[in-house]
Amino acid sequence: MINAKQSGTFLLGGDLPIHRMGFGAMRLTGPGIWGDPKDREGARAVLRRAIELGVNFIDTADSYGPEVSENIIAEALHPYSKGVVIATKGGLTRQGPDRWTPVGRPEYLIQCVEMSLRRLKLERIDLYQLHAVDQQVPLEDSLGALKQMQDQGKIRHIGLSNVSVQEIERARKLVEVVSVQNLYNYSNRRSEDVLQYCEKHQLGFIPWFPIAQGDLAHAGGELANLAKKAGATPAQAALAWLLNHSPVMLPIPGTASMVHLEENIAASAIEVMQNSPVR
């Protein structure tokens, strides 16, 4: 039986047990992560099916749509089942399809938290992540705003996204960081040093684009041989490789397709070789 429980459990922040195979809700929007999806009810159905398949960690952001992904999550899943962890992010603004601009001003981030709480219909966000470091704003100011929201009971745990090891170390002097979300997959391991840092300090590592926007899922792609040996599809091999690569790895493959969702979750039970070269 397909179930995300087979991926194992990670204790996020020391107090939130989550199944390591999660779900990323970025794709539940229109093209370019902009606007509404063509099939809103279909998007809601995918979310509900993910929960049925044992997923209890869902990652989103206020910039997905913008606002669309968070709204659909609440429409589909609220009131949330016990143990379901909703993570969201703030700090990127949108000017159109595939356009993203960091804004880390404290007053803006405070507004982001408040609006995400409203859209997700939550009193407290279990994991709130700074979506990107704004180089025009001191990190101390951006994280100070999130710490303020945490002190008010509106954020449970704080995470980072798109950061270097140096930025993580700087952030950890300001707040307790429980997770890092960076670009990482079988063919792109430029954040290997960040992953190793997370392993050392028991921080959750959430790889975005875990199947490289689908590039690794092609039948003739570089994962084809690995997948064949494992009796899996290339997409499953990509996800299984991540799960087997590190105990702190928390993949969040996203899709608006029920078939792809079930295929992705099935990767939780697949073992693959780890002797492939780092690229």
Side-chain angles (χ1 to χ4, degrees):
M1 180 179 176
I2 300 172
N3 198 295
K5 294 179 182 178
Q6 295 173 294
S7 64
T9 301
F10 181 80
L11 201 59
L12 185 67
D15 63 357
L16 288 176
I18 59 172
H19 301 143
R20 292 176 60 211
M21 182 70 80
F23 180 82
M26 184 177 74
R27 294 293 171 189
L28 303 182
T29 61
I33 323 302
W34 184 259
D36 294 317
K38 291 182 179 179
D39 183 0
R40 196 176 186 94
E41 177 50 37
R44 291 192 289 260
V46 165
L47 282 164
R48 289 191 288 265
R49 182 60 175 154
I51 299 299
E52 291 175 358
L53 294 175
V55 170
N56 65 354
F57 179 64
I58 295 177
D59 178 84
T60 186
D62 61 6
S63 55
Y64 298 164
E67 303 179 7
V68 174
S69 178
E70 289 185 334
N71 283 327
I72 291 177
I73 288 171
E75 291 168 12
L77 303 180
H78 186 270
Y80 303 104
S81 301
K82 183 178 180 181
V84 171
V85 173
I86 307 295
T88 193
K89 300 179 285 291
L92 282 182
T93 60
R94 304 299 305 281
Q95 295 75 43
D98 293 318
R99 296 176 63 189
W100 314 77
T101 302
V103 175
R105 297 192 305 274
E107 64 275 15
Y108 176 71
L109 290 174
I110 288 171
Q111 175 181 296
C112 287
V113 173
E114 296 286 6
M115 296 306 294
S116 287
L117 285 166
R118 180 183 298 183
R119 284 188 291 270
L120 290 167
K121 299 182 180 179
L122 291 168
E123 293 183 0
R124 180 176 66 175
I125 296 169
D126 281 330
L127 175 62
Y128 194 89
Q129 304 153 94
L130 180 64
H131 208 156
V133 175
D134 183 349
Q135 300 300 329
Q136 306 302 314
V137 178
L139 186 58
E140 291 77 4
D141 292 354
S142 297
L143 290 178
L146 298 189
K147 182 64 166 62
Q148 178 182 332
M149 293 289 95
Q150 188 177 48
D151 290 343
Q152 292 178 13
K154 297 178 179 180
I155 293 174
R156 185 169 188 165
H157 292 302
I158 294 173
L160 304 173
S161 184
N162 301 304
V163 288
S164 65
V165 168
Q166 292 72 25
E167 287 169 330
I168 300 170
E169 291 182 328
R170 184 177 167 193
R172 292 182 72 211
K173 294 177 181 178
L174 306 168
V175 297
E176 182 178 355
V177 174
V178 305
S179 66
V180 175
Q181 183 168 163
N182 274 16
L183 171 62
Y184 190 93
N185 53 56
Y186 177 84
S187 62
N188 186 333
R189 308 180 204 174
R190 283 176 287 183
S191 281
E192 191 72 36
D193 60 334
V194 174
L195 172 60
Q196 292 175 5
Y197 183 93
C198 289
E199 289 177 347
K200 180 179 179 181
H201 298 280
Q202 277 300 294
L203 308 180
F205 183 87
I206 306 168
W208 57 268
F209 285 168
I211 314 177
Q213 283 187 287
D215 290 345
L216 294 176
H218 298 319
E222 59 185 293
L223 270 170
N225 290 334
L226 191 65
K228 186 177 181 179
K229 292 178 182 177
T233 67
Q236 289 174 328
L239 294 170
W241 182 88
L242 287 169
L243 287 170
N244 286 295
H245 187 57
S246 171
V248 304
M249 191 79 74
L250 308 173
I252 50 167
T255 180
S257 161
M258 198 74 74
V259 172
H260 288 159
L261 169 69
E262 295 185 358
E263 177 185 349
N264 291 341
I265 303 304
S268 300
I270 297 172
E271 294 186 8
V272 296
M273 298 289 288
Q274 289 294 314
N275 57 0
S276 53
V278 173
R279 288 161 177 76

